[in-house]
Amino acid sequence: MSSTEPTGTTTTPVLPMSAGPARILTLAGSAGAIASAFLSWTWTPDFPGDLTVTGYPGGLQWLTLTGGLVTLLLTLAHAVGTRGLPGLRWLNPGDSNNGILYAALGTTATTWFTLIAISAELGGLANLEPGGWIAGATALLALLGALGLPLDRHPHGTGRGITRHLPLRLATIDRPLPAPRELPSWIEVLLIIAAFAAGLVAITYGIDTDYGELFTGYLLLTGFTVTALTKSGLIARLRALTLKHRPVTTGAAFAAAAGFPFTQTSDQYTSVAANILIFATVALGLNIVVGLAGLLDLGYVAFLGVGAYAAALVSGSPASPIHVRFPFWAAMLTGAAVSVVFGVVIGAPTLRLRGDYLAIVTLGFGEIFRITMNNLNGTTGPKVTNGSNGIPRIPDLDILGFDFGATHTVGGVQLGRFSNYYLLMLLVTALVVLVFARVGNSRIGRAWIAIREDETAAEAMGINGFRLKLLAFALGACLAGLAGTVQAHVSYTVTPDQYTFAEALPPNSAFLLAAVILGGMGTISGPLLGATLLFLIPKKLEFLSDYQLLAFGIALIVLMRVRPEGLIANRRRQLEFHEADIPAQAAATETAPTKAEAR
């Protein structure tokens, strides 16, 4: 196989490495990386994870083992996918080598990160055992072999002609997959369940990581592996199955999420998961305002605070000046209703503004809320919120005799306080997802999208822009207020410092907005994923101390450069961000020898 490169007015043949030797090299390297995980990588247990054991992987060795296994399976699937092995063909339905390359990149990046971390923490390369050197060499061997495979760089899958020079990140965006082999419905259902079970295992592993080095390696491997499976076509094939079996998909997703507390032996990580759900739910509410209606709100976290304060005042806290105790459903309705009122009151005079002016006003509202909560301390204002001391000692919930502060045994598994609140927050998140899905697909949702794209054109077509923007503001505030009512009971205390623009830990307005944009505006799963990452990364990268924000910022810049449309973007936004590449692609196609070859 050969291709041509433009060199002025002539073309120069390019002869890539033969696919056979390159594939053998990739297989040998990935198999070697798997075997190296069972060897000792260092002589001392001082490095986290104890990589001194021979015969059993530990710590970061599990990541190299997983990466090598994914690379091996994808390579085998491509090698034998057309020779009558449908089981392996499912792993690489697009018959693309691009997935193999990304899997090898993930294995190499994770392995070499581990070796560098060992050398840096223990004081030099002398601390590496032969197993570590074997791991680095074999992972690099697999990467070299993958680089020698012919890559599919044409968006329609031919990989020939001048279009082979399109950026690799654009490859296979529109690549059509071959028609899938018809499977019995029960097998398709089992595949969906297996996919969500694998997702639960992967997410649980990431949340349960005990030290920063392991979490960093986990992020590296997960990012490259997901990209590899996307390039291979497996993600698209699974997405088609989920669309075909929507009820099964919904049930499997909820069951997988609800199963997380049953995988834990203590509340150490369920507390993190409960706070992630709070953060993700608020981000999904902000997605209505920013992602659907296109309103840049920089003070959205204030609505979370309004709901939390309203619930704290009526939930029976001894520090509350109201001295009442509503049942939870009434406290939740109170928090949501007060948040809606504040949303309408703030939105009515400000939503006539657009763009940067609206952003500045909403930023001011967020700061005004925090300052007001500080001043309602009985000295500079009425005694309502106790100022900077907040409202402490918020009692645990008791719903139908179920005490959320006590430990309960379900199916032989003990569920602690945070596990109880996690399951409650999961129901709230499911409610918010249902509201977002229904509203986004309604006439109102389409009107919001029209306003986001061009408000002037939308109003010219008869859409009442102000009324619909106010509705989006009120609905987003209501969803944030619902999450705030649960947050007040989870944290026991509500203080003004929890609801700032960017000074505190998530959730705050800056991180909420970043979660929506990074995850994918206008989608459901995008903000959920973005919020999960933006909550976990600061928690897990504490070992970087002073360099934590620097590393976090660099990671965000890289992600936004590689995926400007977000990690999980809808089709419209993906095409919008790649529209600039279309003229260059068309011009390149015209210089190809023939139109048939360009196609």
Side-chain angles (χ1 to χ4, degrees):
M1 175 180 172
S2 64
S3 57
T4 59
E5 294 227 22
T7 310
T9 58
T10 62
T11 57
T12 304
V14 178
L15 300 176
M17 182 190 299
S18 174
R23 186 168 290 114
I24 293 174
L25 197 63
T26 307
L27 290 171
S30 55
I34 294 172
S36 70
F38 295 89
L39 302 176
S40 172
W41 287 14
T42 183
W43 61 274
T44 172
D46 291 342
F47 187 80
D50 192 6
L51 308 184
T52 63
V53 180
T54 299
Y56 185 82
L60 284 153
Q61 290 175 326
W62 281 106
L63 301 181
T64 295
L65 173 63
T66 304
L69 185 61
V70 171
T71 307
L72 181 69
L73 291 177
L74 287 179
T75 307
L76 288 174
H78 187 274
V80 301
T82 58
R83 299 181 184 177
L85 292 179
L88 282 180
R89 175 64 178 264
W90 248 91
L91 295 175
N92 197 349
D95 281 340
S96 173
N97 288 317
N98 294 12
I100 301 173
L101 174 60
Y102 278 101
L105 277 170
T107 306
T108 305
T110 305
T111 303
W112 279 88
F113 165 76
T114 305
L115 301 181
I116 293 172
I118 291 173
S119 303
E121 292 190 20
L122 300 182
L125 295 174
N127 294 281
L128 293 177
E129 289 288 287
W133 293 105
I134 293 174
T138 53
L140 190 59
L141 192 69
L143 177 59
L144 292 175
L147 288 172
L149 295 172
L151 298 180
D152 176 18
R153 296 177 182 249
H154 192 283
H156 296 291
T158 62
R160 298 186 301 161
I162 199 67
T163 53
R164 66 184 293 273
H165 302 289
L166 289 176
L168 184 59
R169 68 181 178 89
L170 295 182
T172 70
I173 284 179
D174 297 313
R175 191 179 195 274
L177 295 177
R181 177 170 165 261
E182 196 68 27
L183 297 175
S185 296
W186 65 273
I187 294 182
E188 294 179 342
V189 170
L190 287 179
L191 288 173
I192 293 174
I193 295 174
F196 279 103
L200 174 62
V201 171
I203 293 174
T204 301
Y205 186 89
I207 294 178
D208 290 356
T209 49
D210 293 326
Y211 46 95
E213 295 86 349
L214 182 60
F215 182 72
T216 304
Y218 166 80
L219 282 182
L220 287 172
L221 182 64
T222 302
F224 281 109
T225 300
V226 171
T227 305
L229 298 180
T230 301
K231 297 296 183 182
S232 69
L234 179 60
I235 301 295
R237 189 59 52 81
L238 289 174
R239 187 182 298 117
L241 287 183
T242 59
L243 293 176
K244 182 179 179 182
H245 302 278
R246 287 183 181 272
V248 174
T249 301
T250 303
F254 187 82
F260 174 77
F262 295 91
T263 65
Q264 305 298 305
T265 57
S266 68
D267 262 358
Q268 179 181 2
Y269 296 113
T270 50
S271 62
V272 176
N275 283 285
I276 286 176
L277 279 184
I278 293 173
F279 189 21
T281 302
V282 180
L284 198 57
L286 179 60
N287 197 25
I288 292 178
V289 180
V290 177
L292 293 182
L295 307 174
L296 184 55
D297 188 351
L298 298 182
Y300 185 77
V301 75
F303 296 123
L304 175 68
V306 169
Y309 266 100
L313 288 171
V314 300
S315 293
S317 170
S320 172
I322 299 180
H323 302 297
V324 297
R325 182 166 186 175
F326 288 0
F328 176 66
W329 64 267
M332 177 175 282
L333 290 179
T334 301
V338 174
S339 297
V340 169
V341 171
F342 269 81
V344 173
V345 170
I346 298 302
T350 61
L351 288 179
R352 300 186 187 278
L353 302 174
R354 299 186 185 181
D356 299 338
Y357 300 101
L358 177 62
I360 293 172
V361 171
T362 54
L363 176 61
F365 163 65
E367 288 301 300
I368 289 171
F369 168 78
R370 182 181 61 83
I371 295 172
T372 302
M373 295 300 103
N374 267 317
N375 289 335
L376 296 179
N377 55 10
T379 302
T380 58
K383 186 176 181 180
V384 179
T385 64
N386 299 320
S388 59
N389 293 325
I391 302 177
R393 293 179 290 170
I394 301 172
D396 281 308
L397 293 175
D398 192 329
I399 302 177
L400 299 176
F402 186 90
D403 186 1
F404 279 74
T407 300
H408 302 273
T409 301
V410 179
V413 178
Q414 285 192 340
L415 300 181
R417 177 178 181 271
F418 287 106
S419 297
N420 300 331
Y421 280 109
Y422 169 85
L423 294 174
L424 174 64
M425 197 61 219
L426 184 62
L427 295 176
V428 176
T429 304
L431 175 63
V432 174
V433 168
L434 178 63
V435 171
F436 184 92
R438 295 298 183 185
V439 172
N441 294 325
S442 67
R443 292 180 59 188
I444 295 176
R446 292 194 294 271
W448 283 337
I449 295 175
I451 292 173
R452 182 193 71 193
E453 298 298 325
D454 193 327
E455 185 175 349
T456 303
E459 291 179 346
M461 297 300 294
I463 294 176
N464 190 328
F466 173 75
R467 186 176 65 183
L468 286 171
K469 288 193 295 183
L470 186 61
L471 179 61
F473 220 66
L475 181 57
C478 176
L479 299 181
L482 287 177
T485 59
V486 181
Q487 188 209 27
H489 292 86
V490 171
S491 60
Y492 280 134
T493 302
V494 177
T495 60
D497 292 339
Q498 294 174 327
Y499 311 104
T500 62
F501 174 71
E503 295 178 3
L505 292 175
N508 57 54
S509 292
F511 272 78
L512 286 170
L513 186 62
V516 173
I517 297 175
L518 176 65
M521 295 171 58
T523 64
I524 294 177
S525 53
L528 297 179
L529 175 61
T532 301
L533 291 176
L534 292 183
F535 191 91
L536 273 180
I537 289 176
K539 289 282 186 182
K540 297 295 186 178
L541 295 186
E542 292 178 351
F543 75 100
L544 292 177
S545 61
D546 295 338
Y547 299 98
Q548 178 181 354
L549 287 179
L550 175 62
F552 182 65
I554 292 174
L556 284 181
I557 292 172
V558 171
L559 284 174
M560 297 310 294
R561 175 63 182 88
V562 175
R563 296 282 297 182
E565 66 272 26
L567 294 175
I568 303 177
N570 58 31
R571 185 64 176 166
R572 175 181 295 178
R573 291 194 64 81
Q574 191 175 31
L575 293 176
E576 286 175 359
F577 277 99
H578 296 298
E579 186 177 0
D581 298 302
I582 295 177
Q585 178 179 335
T589 302
E590 292 177 2
T591 61
T594 64
K595 292 184 178 180
E597 183 176 358
R599 287 194 296 269

PDB file of all heavy atoms in Angstrom, residues 439-466:
ATOM      1  N   VAL A 439     -37.826  18.522  28.954  1.00  0.00           N
ATOM      2  CA  VAL A 439     -37.861  19.931  28.550  1.00  0.00           C
ATOM      3  C   VAL A 439     -36.999  20.158  27.313  1.00  0.00           C
ATOM      4  O   VAL A 439     -37.383  20.893  26.392  1.00  0.00           O
ATOM      5  CB  VAL A 439     -37.393  20.825  29.712  1.00  0.00           C
ATOM      6  CG1 VAL A 439     -37.237  22.267  29.257  1.00  0.00           C
ATOM      7  CG2 VAL A 439     -38.388  20.751  30.857  1.00  0.00           C
ATOM      8  N   GLY A 440     -35.830  19.516  27.256  1.00  0.00           N
ATOM      9  CA  GLY A 440     -34.945  19.718  26.110  1.00  0.00           C
ATOM     10  C   GLY A 440     -35.544  19.262  24.799  1.00  0.00           C
ATOM     11  O   GLY A 440     -35.237  19.823  23.746  1.00  0.00           O
ATOM     12  N   ASN A 441     -36.409  18.243  24.827  1.00  0.00           N
ATOM     13  CA  ASN A 441     -37.032  17.732  23.601  1.00  0.00           C
ATOM     14  C   ASN A 441     -38.403  18.343  23.323  1.00  0.00           C
ATOM     15  O   ASN A 441     -39.084  17.918  22.394  1.00  0.00           O
ATOM     16  CB  ASN A 441     -37.169  16.204  23.693  1.00  0.00           C
ATOM     17  CG  ASN A 441     -35.816  15.509  23.702  1.00  0.00           C
ATOM     18  OD1 ASN A 441     -34.887  15.960  23.046  1.00  0.00           O
ATOM     19  ND2 ASN A 441     -35.707  14.435  24.458  1.00  0.00           N
ATOM     20  N   SER A 442     -38.812  19.312  24.125  1.00  0.00           N
ATOM     21  CA  SER A 442     -40.120  19.932  23.952  1.00  0.00           C
ATOM     22  C   SER A 442     -40.021  21.169  23.060  1.00  0.00           C
ATOM     23  O   SER A 442     -38.936  21.559  22.616  1.00  0.00           O
ATOM     24  CB  SER A 442     -40.695  20.309  25.318  1.00  0.00           C
ATOM     25  OG  SER A 442     -39.910  21.338  25.909  1.00  0.00           O
ATOM     26  N   ARG A 443     -41.169  21.802  22.819  1.00  0.00           N
ATOM     27  CA  ARG A 443     -41.175  23.046  22.045  1.00  0.00           C
ATOM     28  C   ARG A 443     -40.392  24.132  22.766  1.00  0.00           C
ATOM     29  O   ARG A 443     -39.709  24.938  22.138  1.00  0.00           O
ATOM     30  CB  ARG A 443     -42.617  23.509  21.819  1.00  0.00           C
ATOM     31  CG  ARG A 443     -43.433  22.608  20.900  1.00  0.00           C
ATOM     32  CD  ARG A 443     -44.845  23.140  20.737  1.00  0.00           C
ATOM     33  NE  ARG A 443     -44.851  24.490  20.185  1.00  0.00           N
ATOM     34  CZ  ARG A 443     -45.931  25.252  20.083  1.00  0.00           C
ATOM     35  NH1 ARG A 443     -47.099  24.794  20.518  1.00  0.00           N
ATOM     36  NH2 ARG A 443     -45.849  26.454  19.575  1.00  0.00           N
ATOM     37  N   ILE A 444     -40.486  24.137  24.106  1.00  0.00           N
ATOM     38  CA  ILE A 444     -39.741  25.140  24.872  1.00  0.00           C
ATOM     39  C   ILE A 444     -38.243  24.922  24.707  1.00  0.00           C
ATOM     40  O   ILE A 444     -37.479  25.881  24.532  1.00  0.00           O
ATOM     41  CB  ILE A 444     -40.142  25.070  26.357  1.00  0.00           C
ATOM     42  CG1 ILE A 444     -41.610  25.471  26.519  1.00  0.00           C
ATOM     43  CG2 ILE A 444     -39.252  25.961  27.204  1.00  0.00           C
ATOM     44  CD1 ILE A 444     -42.126  25.334  27.938  1.00  0.00           C
ATOM     45  N   GLY A 445     -37.804  23.661  24.753  1.00  0.00           N
ATOM     46  CA  GLY A 445     -36.386  23.377  24.583  1.00  0.00           C
ATOM     47  C   GLY A 445     -35.876  23.788  23.213  1.00  0.00           C
ATOM     48  O   GLY A 445     -34.782  24.357  23.085  1.00  0.00           O
ATOM     49  N   ARG A 446     -36.664  23.533  22.189  1.00  0.00           N
ATOM     50  CA  ARG A 446     -36.250  23.953  20.843  1.00  0.00           C
ATOM     51  C   ARG A 446     -36.221  25.472  20.733  1.00  0.00           C
ATOM     52  O   ARG A 446     -35.382  26.036  20.017  1.00  0.00           O
ATOM     53  CB  ARG A 446     -37.190  23.340  19.806  1.00  0.00           C
ATOM     54  CG  ARG A 446     -37.063  21.825  19.690  1.00  0.00           C
ATOM     55  CD  ARG A 446     -37.736  21.296  18.446  1.00  0.00           C
ATOM     56  NE  ARG A 446     -39.184  21.476  18.495  1.00  0.00           N
ATOM     57  CZ  ARG A 446     -40.028  20.592  19.002  1.00  0.00           C
ATOM     58  NH1 ARG A 446     -39.563  19.477  19.538  1.00  0.00           N
ATOM     59  NH2 ARG A 446     -41.328  20.808  18.985  1.00  0.00           N
ATOM     60  N   ALA A 447     -37.151  26.136  21.432  1.00  0.00           N
ATOM     61  CA  ALA A 447     -37.133  27.602  21.428  1.00  0.00           C
ATOM     62  C   ALA A 447     -35.881  28.124  22.137  1.00  0.00           C
ATOM     63  O   ALA A 447     -35.269  29.109  21.701  1.00  0.00           O
ATOM     64  CB  ALA A 447     -38.392  28.138  22.098  1.00  0.00           C
ATOM     65  N   TRP A 448     -35.488  27.470  23.240  1.00  0.00           N
ATOM     66  CA  TRP A 448     -34.251  27.867  23.920  1.00  0.00           C
ATOM     67  C   TRP A 448     -33.046  27.726  22.996  1.00  0.00           C
ATOM     68  O   TRP A 448     -32.168  28.602  22.963  1.00  0.00           O
ATOM     69  CB  TRP A 448     -34.052  27.013  25.163  1.00  0.00           C
ATOM     70  CG  TRP A 448     -34.906  27.414  26.323  1.00  0.00           C
ATOM     71  CD1 TRP A 448     -35.479  28.635  26.546  1.00  0.00           C
ATOM     72  CD2 TRP A 448     -35.288  26.589  27.428  1.00  0.00           C
ATOM     73  NE1 TRP A 448     -36.190  28.623  27.708  1.00  0.00           N
ATOM     74  CE2 TRP A 448     -36.087  27.381  28.283  1.00  0.00           C
ATOM     75  CE3 TRP A 448     -35.038  25.270  27.778  1.00  0.00           C
ATOM     76  CZ2 TRP A 448     -36.633  26.896  29.457  1.00  0.00           C
ATOM     77  CZ3 TRP A 448     -35.577  24.772  28.953  1.00  0.00           C
ATOM     78  CH2 TRP A 448     -36.373  25.580  29.781  1.00  0.00           C
ATOM     79  N   ILE A 449     -33.000  26.623  22.265  1.00  0.00           N
ATOM     80  CA  ILE A 449     -31.875  26.417  21.340  1.00  0.00           C
ATOM     81  C   ILE A 449     -31.870  27.488  20.261  1.00  0.00           C
ATOM     82  O   ILE A 449     -30.814  28.000  19.858  1.00  0.00           O
ATOM     83  CB  ILE A 449     -31.951  25.006  20.730  1.00  0.00           C
ATOM     84  CG1 ILE A 449     -31.750  23.949  21.825  1.00  0.00           C
ATOM     85  CG2 ILE A 449     -30.912  24.832  19.629  1.00  0.00           C
ATOM     86  CD1 ILE A 449     -31.935  22.528  21.350  1.00  0.00           C
ATOM     87  N   ALA A 450     -33.053  27.865  19.761  1.00  0.00           N
ATOM     88  CA  ALA A 450     -33.133  28.934  18.757  1.00  0.00           C
ATOM     89  C   ALA A 450     -32.625  30.248  19.330  1.00  0.00           C
ATOM     90  O   ALA A 450     -31.906  30.999  18.646  1.00  0.00           O
ATOM     91  CB  ALA A 450     -34.575  29.079  18.277  1.00  0.00           C
ATOM     92  N   ILE A 451     -32.964  30.542  20.582  1.00  0.00           N
ATOM     93  CA  ILE A 451     -32.475  31.765  21.223  1.00  0.00           C
ATOM     94  C   ILE A 451     -30.962  31.704  21.396  1.00  0.00           C
ATOM     95  O   ILE A 451     -30.259  32.706  21.194  1.00  0.00           O
ATOM     96  CB  ILE A 451     -33.178  31.958  22.580  1.00  0.00           C
ATOM     97  CG1 ILE A 451     -34.660  32.258  22.370  1.00  0.00           C
ATOM     98  CG2 ILE A 451     -32.528  33.076  23.380  1.00  0.00           C
ATOM     99  CD1 ILE A 451     -35.467  32.298  23.652  1.00  0.00           C
ATOM    100  N   ARG A 452     -30.457  30.546  21.769  1.00  0.00           N
ATOM    101  CA  ARG A 452     -29.012  30.402  21.934  1.00  0.00           C
ATOM    102  C   ARG A 452     -28.266  30.625  20.631  1.00  0.00           C
ATOM    103  O   ARG A 452     -27.224  31.285  20.593  1.00  0.00           O
ATOM    104  CB  ARG A 452     -28.700  29.001  22.467  1.00  0.00           C
ATOM    105  CG  ARG A 452     -27.221  28.744  22.735  1.00  0.00           C
ATOM    106  CD  ARG A 452     -26.972  27.268  22.935  1.00  0.00           C
ATOM    107  NE  ARG A 452     -27.123  26.538  21.678  1.00  0.00           N
ATOM    108  CZ  ARG A 452     -27.202  25.208  21.587  1.00  0.00           C
ATOM    109  NH1 ARG A 452     -27.176  24.486  22.688  1.00  0.00           N
ATOM    110  NH2 ARG A 452     -27.324  24.626  20.423  1.00  0.00           N
ATOM    111  N   GLU A 453     -28.814  30.127  19.529  1.00  0.00           N
ATOM    112  CA  GLU A 453     -28.134  30.255  18.246  1.00  0.00           C
ATOM    113  C   GLU A 453     -28.196  31.689  17.719  1.00  0.00           C
ATOM    114  O   GLU A 453     -27.190  32.230  17.263  1.00  0.00           O
ATOM    115  CB  GLU A 453     -28.754  29.289  17.229  1.00  0.00           C
ATOM    116  CG  GLU A 453     -28.620  27.821  17.598  1.00  0.00           C
ATOM    117  CD  GLU A 453     -27.180  27.390  17.690  1.00  0.00           C
ATOM    118  OE1 GLU A 453     -26.358  27.906  16.901  1.00  0.00           O
ATOM    119  OE2 GLU A 453     -26.866  26.553  18.554  1.00  0.00           O
ATOM    120  N   ASP A 454     -29.378  32.321  17.769  1.00  0.00           N
ATOM    121  CA  ASP A 454     -29.530  33.695  17.285  1.00  0.00           C
ATOM    122  C   ASP A 454     -30.813  34.263  17.874  1.00  0.00           C
ATOM    123  O   ASP A 454     -31.915  33.978  17.385  1.00  0.00           O
ATOM    124  CB  ASP A 454     -29.574  33.735  15.752  1.00  0.00           C
ATOM    125  CG  ASP A 454     -29.422  35.153  15.206  1.00  0.00           C
ATOM    126  OD1 ASP A 454     -29.882  36.086  15.876  1.00  0.00           O
ATOM    127  OD2 ASP A 454     -28.839  35.301  14.115  1.00  0.00           O
ATOM    128  N   GLU A 455     -30.682  35.062  18.931  1.00  0.00           N
ATOM    129  CA  GLU A 455     -31.863  35.566  19.618  1.00  0.00           C
ATOM    130  C   GLU A 455     -32.681  36.496  18.730  1.00  0.00           C
ATOM    131  O   GLU A 455     -33.912  36.466  18.751  1.00  0.00           O
ATOM    132  CB  GLU A 455     -31.449  36.289  20.900  1.00  0.00           C
ATOM    133  CG  GLU A 455     -32.628  36.751  21.735  1.00  0.00           C
ATOM    134  CD  GLU A 455     -32.200  37.344  23.058  1.00  0.00           C
ATOM    135  OE1 GLU A 455     -31.007  37.206  23.413  1.00  0.00           O
ATOM    136  OE2 GLU A 455     -33.053  37.949  23.738  1.00  0.00           O
ATOM    137  N   THR A 456     -32.005  37.309  17.927  1.00  0.00           N
ATOM    138  CA  THR A 456     -32.726  38.242  17.051  1.00  0.00           C
ATOM    139  C   THR A 456     -33.559  37.486  16.025  1.00  0.00           C
ATOM    140  O   THR A 456     -34.732  37.803  15.793  1.00  0.00           O
ATOM    141  CB  THR A 456     -31.738  39.175  16.345  1.00  0.00           C
ATOM    142  OG1 THR A 456     -30.961  39.873  17.331  1.00  0.00           O
ATOM    143  CG2 THR A 456     -32.469  40.177  15.469  1.00  0.00           C
ATOM    144  N   ALA A 457     -32.969  36.463  15.414  1.00  0.00           N
ATOM    145  CA  ALA A 457     -33.707  35.675  14.434  1.00  0.00           C
ATOM    146  C   ALA A 457     -34.854  34.916  15.095  1.00  0.00           C
ATOM    147  O   ALA A 457     -35.939  34.778  14.523  1.00  0.00           O
ATOM    148  CB  ALA A 457     -32.762  34.693  13.740  1.00  0.00           C
ATOM    149  N   ALA A 458     -34.634  34.422  16.331  1.00  0.00           N
ATOM    150  CA  ALA A 458     -35.688  33.700  17.033  1.00  0.00           C
ATOM    151  C   ALA A 458     -36.875  34.612  17.326  1.00  0.00           C
ATOM    152  O   ALA A 458     -38.041  34.222  17.152  1.00  0.00           O
ATOM    153  CB  ALA A 458     -35.129  33.104  18.324  1.00  0.00           C
ATOM    154  N   GLU A 459     -36.608  35.830  17.774  1.00  0.00           N
ATOM    155  CA  GLU A 459     -37.698  36.764  18.051  1.00  0.00           C
ATOM    156  C   GLU A 459     -38.414  37.173  16.775  1.00  0.00           C
ATOM    157  O   GLU A 459     -39.630  37.411  16.776  1.00  0.00           O
ATOM    158  CB  GLU A 459     -37.152  37.986  18.779  1.00  0.00           C
ATOM    159  CG  GLU A 459     -36.696  37.683  20.202  1.00  0.00           C
ATOM    160  CD  GLU A 459     -36.142  38.906  20.902  1.00  0.00           C
ATOM    161  OE1 GLU A 459     -35.873  39.909  20.201  1.00  0.00           O
ATOM    162  OE2 GLU A 459     -35.991  38.860  22.140  1.00  0.00           O
ATOM    163  N   ALA A 460     -37.681  37.245  15.672  1.00  0.00           N
ATOM    164  CA  ALA A 460     -38.317  37.567  14.397  1.00  0.00           C
ATOM    165  C   ALA A 460     -39.272  36.461  13.945  1.00  0.00           C
ATOM    166  O   ALA A 460     -40.217  36.718  13.199  1.00  0.00           O
ATOM    167  CB  ALA A 460     -37.248  37.800  13.327  1.00  0.00           C
ATOM    168  N   MET A 461     -39.040  35.242  14.401  1.00  0.00           N
ATOM    169  CA  MET A 461     -39.926  34.124  14.067  1.00  0.00           C
ATOM    170  C   MET A 461     -41.075  33.972  15.051  1.00  0.00           C
ATOM    171  O   MET A 461     -41.823  33.005  14.987  1.00  0.00           O
ATOM    172  CB  MET A 461     -39.112  32.822  14.032  1.00  0.00           C
ATOM    173  CG  MET A 461     -38.031  32.800  12.959  1.00  0.00           C
ATOM    174  SD  MET A 461     -38.694  32.998  11.302  1.00  0.00           S
ATOM    175  CE  MET A 461     -39.646  31.499  11.134  1.00  0.00           C
ATOM    176  N   GLY A 462     -41.214  34.915  15.992  1.00  0.00           N
ATOM    177  CA  GLY A 462     -42.354  34.903  16.890  1.00  0.00           C
ATOM    178  C   GLY A 462     -42.083  34.342  18.259  1.00  0.00           C
ATOM    179  O   GLY A 462     -43.017  34.154  19.044  1.00  0.00           O
ATOM    180  N   ILE A 463     -40.832  34.052  18.618  1.00  0.00           N
ATOM    181  CA  ILE A 463     -40.492  33.515  19.934  1.00  0.00           C
ATOM    182  C   ILE A 463     -40.351  34.668  20.918  1.00  0.00           C
ATOM    183  O   ILE A 463     -39.667  35.656  20.643  1.00  0.00           O
ATOM    184  CB  ILE A 463     -39.190  32.696  19.871  1.00  0.00           C
ATOM    185  CG1 ILE A 463     -39.393  31.449  19.006  1.00  0.00           C
ATOM    186  CG2 ILE A 463     -38.720  32.299  21.261  1.00  0.00           C
ATOM    187  CD1 ILE A 463     -38.144  30.631  18.811  1.00  0.00           C
ATOM    188  N   ASN A 464     -41.013  34.555  22.061  1.00  0.00           N
ATOM    189  CA  ASN A 464     -40.903  35.553  23.123  1.00  0.00           C
ATOM    190  C   ASN A 464     -39.621  35.288  23.900  1.00  0.00           C
ATOM    191  O   ASN A 464     -39.593  34.481  24.828  1.00  0.00           O
ATOM    192  CB  ASN A 464     -42.123  35.490  24.037  1.00  0.00           C
ATOM    193  CG  ASN A 464     -42.183  36.656  25.009  1.00  0.00           C
ATOM    194  OD1 ASN A 464     -41.153  37.164  25.446  1.00  0.00           O
ATOM    195  ND2 ASN A 464     -43.395  37.085  25.339  1.00  0.00           N
ATOM    196  N   GLY A 465     -38.557  35.954  23.505  1.00  0.00           N
ATOM    197  CA  GLY A 465     -37.246  35.665  24.063  1.00  0.00           C
ATOM    198  C   GLY A 465     -37.154  35.921  25.551  1.00  0.00           C
ATOM    199  O   GLY A 465     -36.634  35.094  26.303  1.00  0.00           O
ATOM    200  N   PHE A 466     -37.665  37.058  26.014  1.00  0.00           N
ATOM    201  CA  PHE A 466     -37.547  37.397  27.430  1.00  0.00           C
ATOM    202  C   PHE A 466     -38.291  36.396  28.312  1.00  0.00           C
ATOM    203  O   PHE A 466     -37.774  35.931  29.319  1.00  0.00           O
ATOM    204  CB  PHE A 466     -38.083  38.807  27.682  1.00  0.00           C
ATOM    205  CG  PHE A 466     -38.150  39.178  29.133  1.00  0.00           C
ATOM    206  CD1 PHE A 466     -36.996  39.485  29.830  1.00  0.00           C
ATOM    207  CD2 PHE A 466     -39.362  39.193  29.810  1.00  0.00           C
ATOM    208  CE1 PHE A 466     -37.045  39.805  31.186  1.00  0.00           C
ATOM    209  CE2 PHE A 466     -39.414  39.509  31.149  1.00  0.00           C
ATOM    210  CZ  PHE A 466     -38.250  39.826  31.837  1.00  0.00           C
TER     211      PHE A 466
END
